[in-house]
Amino acid sequence: MRRGPHPGLRLRAATAWGAGALHLSFGLSVVAYQLVRSQLVEDRQDRTTVQAYVNARAVRNALRTPDPDLNTILGSLSTNAGSTILAWADGRWFAGSVGTGPDLLPDALQQAVIEGDAGSQIVDVGGVPSVVVGVPVAEVNARYYELIPLDDIDQALAGLASGLGLAA
């Protein structure tokens, strides 16, 4: 009984090199994706944190005045597109837009801000990844929160993943 022809050494070597190149290409694509993702998200968190501190300072200054209208103040603050602003002062919540409330805020972040620590966290708000920044405004017994959607970064990363997948 004779079996069919065995693949030659050249074919086996070429197949092994091809498989190795595919694995290397895939690995580099994953590394590139992770680096770009972390840089984009980190940059957005940094910019968001700076803007939240500026806005928290504006809220503090407004709350120092007699009879401040916090809803109007929150609505006038400079924010990123699609941002949601919340503040707690005088024992109640205020929002920069209708339909938003403290239920959007992670409990751990709220607790940290209550304890006097600023912080940020990435959360899912209605299926959209978002950065939430919380800043205590201790001088006037208030807290300031800003939620910024990351949907533009999410879309860019989806395109990057498709391109890297095709290139690999």
Side-chain angles (χ1 to χ4, degrees):
M1 263 195 279
R2 199 171 146 111
R3 294 186 191 176
H6 294 289
L9 180 59
R10 286 184 185 168
L11 179 59
R12 287 185 289 175
T15 303
W17 277 101
L22 181 63
H23 280 80
L24 179 62
S25 175
F26 179 75
L28 290 174
S29 294
V30 169
V31 168
Y33 178 86
Q34 290 299 329
L35 287 172
V36 169
R37 179 188 178 281
S38 75
Q39 184 61 42
L40 288 175
V41 171
E42 209 173 283
D43 182 53
R44 178 65 58 89
Q45 277 187 298
D46 290 347
R47 286 186 292 129
T48 298
T49 300
V50 168
Q51 188 62 51
Y53 273 98
V54 169
N55 288 344
R57 190 176 321 126
V59 167
R60 179 199 65 199
N61 292 340
L63 287 172
R64 288 179 172 167
T65 64
D67 299 324
D69 182 1
L70 199 51
N71 284 323
T72 302
I73 293 163
L74 293 177
S76 69
L77 293 175
S78 174
T79 61
N80 292 316
S83 293
T84 301
I85 297 176
L86 295 165
W88 182 90
D90 295 328
R92 57 191 180 132
W93 287 97
F94 298 87
S97 59
V98 177
T100 58
D103 55 313
L104 298 174
L105 304 173
D107 293 336
L109 180 61
Q110 285 191 60
Q111 189 59 41
V113 174
I114 288 169
E115 294 171 1
D117 297 321
S120 67
Q121 192 172 337
I122 297 178
V123 298
D124 185 62
V125 178
V128 176
S130 301
V131 174
V132 182
V133 178
V135 180
V137 190
E139 297 170 28
V140 289
N141 191 27
R143 302 187 301 264
Y144 176 83
Y145 299 91
E146 194 164 332
L147 290 90
I148 299 85
L150 298 175
D151 53 344
D152 58 334
I153 291 176
D154 204 32
Q155 291 171 355
L157 289 173
L160 177 64
S162 296
L164 289 173
L166 289 174

